[in-house]
Amino acid sequence: MHAKNFIPILLLAIFPKGYCQLAQLATAAGKLYFGTATDNPELTDSPYVTQLGNTADFHQITAGNSMKWDATEPSRGTFTFTAGDTIANLALSHGQILRGHNCVWHNQLPSWVTSGNFNNATLLSIVQTHCSTLVSHYKGKIPDTILEPFNDDGTFRQSVFFTTTGTAYISAALRAARAADPAAKLYINDFNIEGTGAKSTAMANLVRSLKSQGVPIDGIGVQAHLIVGEVPSTLQQNLQNFVNLGVEVAITELDIRMTLPSTQALLTQQQQDYQTVIHACKAVSGCVGVTIWDWTDKYSWVPGTFSGQGAACPWDQNLVKKPAYQGIVNGWMQ
Ligand SMILES: *[C@@H]1O[C@H](CO)[C@@H](O)[C@H](O)[C@H]1NC(C)=O
């Protein structure tokens, strides 16, 4: 009885007030971080920047775009880190963890990569140089090394990397990243791998194969760009299946979109859905943290990508908390 009463009292002592905010609750649940993506154009909005730096809610940030290939190596061998450094310095000034994002992705690639007609050996060396330079520059951070290698049916995406090198680009990127920063956590990230299914099986098979070849791989990033009312019922089991491969997992790009206009019923379902996702991570000890894909609907990528959809974030357009915020709180406390 004493032990049972002891824990809440202790937590109150550590967090005398405000012990109901997202990052504090994530830490109390034993996680490394709760954080958010951000992007350079938003940093002129000072109310936005103030909340972005509120470490009781976010003690981790991810650069939404400015560490991608088109931003960091716009022409071969010419590296530009100015915009990425702005995000990295912001994290440093706030005392937040930075997640890198990313080494190799089929999108937002400069045309010199996609249209260069490189042969296998040359493209592999381009991947190595890119990953090595990027990861060295952000040494001490944790990158998403390979982003979205699969199609939804579990086959490999026919990117320039896959069509030229097969899967050799994946091991080349991971090895280059490990050599550049032995302490960096190396992740492979994808979407539509929240529940069990063909694509999650493909990811598990890839990670198993990399491990059997001695290729460094530390984690699987589950993006979790979800739809209100459609959180897969197998989410927690799937996270556990990934952890059982001997890697950690993180939810790296969470948002839960709806068909607009938002209604009270949709916002209430969204609250429940956020709670379900957060609780799944809480319940799986190898799930180390959660990142939302920006925190306010004002800067969400959703309306620009999915026509007629939006309202996917826990704060609305006016930077006011939605029921989804309470859903995240409940998920950590459940
Ligand atoms: C590309 O080269 C690598 C390393 O030599 C090799 O393992 C891989 O099979 C090659 N890929 C293709 C498609 O030829």
Side-chain angles (χ1 to χ4, degrees):
M1 248 185 118
H2 282 113
K4 197 179 167 211
N5 290 333
F6 180 68
I7 294 169
I9 293 164
L10 179 68
L11 290 175
L12 279 175
I14 298 170
F15 303 109
K17 56 180 183 174
Y19 171 60
C20 54
Q21 292 186 251
L22 310 184
Q24 294 171 330
L25 290 166
T27 308
K31 305 304 173 185
L32 295 178
Y33 56 82
F34 185 88
T36 180
T38 187
D39 204 358
N40 299 66
E42 306 160 17
L43 302 179
T44 55
D45 177 341
S46 65
Y48 172 88
V49 173
T50 300
Q51 171 57 24
L52 181 68
N54 178 352
T55 54
D57 278 322
F58 312 123
H59 58 310
Q60 177 271 323
I61 59 175
T62 303
N65 287 298
S66 51
M67 294 180 192
K68 289 173 179 168
W69 199 314
D70 56 355
T72 53
E73 195 185 2
S75 60
R76 190 173 174 185
T78 303
F79 286 86
T80 52
F81 292 119
T82 319
D85 287 354
T86 300
I87 306 288
N89 292 333
L90 197 65
L92 193 66
S93 71
H94 293 150
Q96 291 164 319
I97 296 168
L98 178 70
R99 276 191 110 250
H101 177 83
N102 52 61
C103 249
V104 184
W105 189 33
H106 64 279
N107 264 336
Q108 292 177 245
L109 271 178
S111 61
W112 72 265
V113 180
T114 42
S115 313
N117 289 312
F118 299 111
N119 67 21
N120 184 7
T122 308
L123 190 58
L124 286 177
S125 114
I126 286 169
V127 165
Q128 281 161 349
T129 302
H130 185 75
C131 291
S132 166
T133 308
L134 184 76
V135 175
S136 302
H137 183 79
Y138 293 110
K139 199 164 175 161
K141 321 300 186 285
I142 50 173
D144 283 336
T145 305
I146 321 279
L147 203 64
E148 302 177 0
F150 291 111
N151 296 313
D152 281 349
D153 65 1
T155 55
F156 280 98
R157 186 185 290 282
Q158 300 293 304
S159 67
V160 65
F161 302 112
F162 183 75
T163 55
T164 310
T165 80
T167 58
Y169 81 94
I170 297 176
S171 32
L174 288 165
R175 288 195 160 113
R178 176 53 44 90
D181 182 359
K185 293 282 188 190
L186 306 181
Y187 270 66
I188 302 181
N189 221 9
D190 218 323
F191 62 94
N192 289 351
I193 56 164
E194 292 76 28
T196 55
K199 198 171 182 180
S200 293
T201 301
M203 178 62 85
N205 289 341
L206 172 63
V207 166
R208 215 178 272 119
S209 153
L210 292 169
K211 287 178 86 73
S212 75
Q213 297 168 66
V215 177
I217 176 69
D218 301 306
I220 298 173
V222 174
Q223 292 181 10
H225 291 297
L226 297 169
I227 297 170
V228 165
E230 298 181 23
V231 177
S233 59
T234 52
L235 173 62
Q236 184 181 322
Q237 181 58 54
N238 195 51
L239 296 178
Q240 187 62 55
N241 291 348
F242 286 156
V243 168
N244 292 348
L245 299 166
V247 291
E248 56 186 51
V249 299
I251 293 177
T252 56
E253 306 188 10
L254 175 62
D255 54 22
I256 309 182
R257 63 186 184 265
M258 61 182 71
T259 298
L260 298 172
S262 70
T263 60
Q264 200 51 52
L266 284 166
L267 292 170
T268 301
Q269 181 63 47
Q270 186 183 48
Q271 170 176 349
Q272 180 57 53
D273 292 340
Y274 267 98
Q275 177 170 343
T276 302
V277 173
I278 296 299
H279 188 257
C281 180
K282 182 186 178 187
V284 174
S285 64
C287 181
V288 300
V290 177
T291 306
I292 52 177
W293 207 244
D294 226 322
W295 54 272
T296 161
D297 293 335
K298 189 173 182 181
Y299 297 119
S300 172
W301 72 302
V302 168
T305 303
F306 302 96
S307 176
Q309 299 179 56
C313 299
W315 278 258
D316 71 13
Q317 296 273 358
N318 301 314
L319 315 188
V320 175
K321 288 174 188 168
K322 293 154 63 179
Y325 183 97
Q326 189 60 41
I328 299 173
V329 169
N330 294 348
W332 289 130
M333 296 187 75
Q334 182 187 335

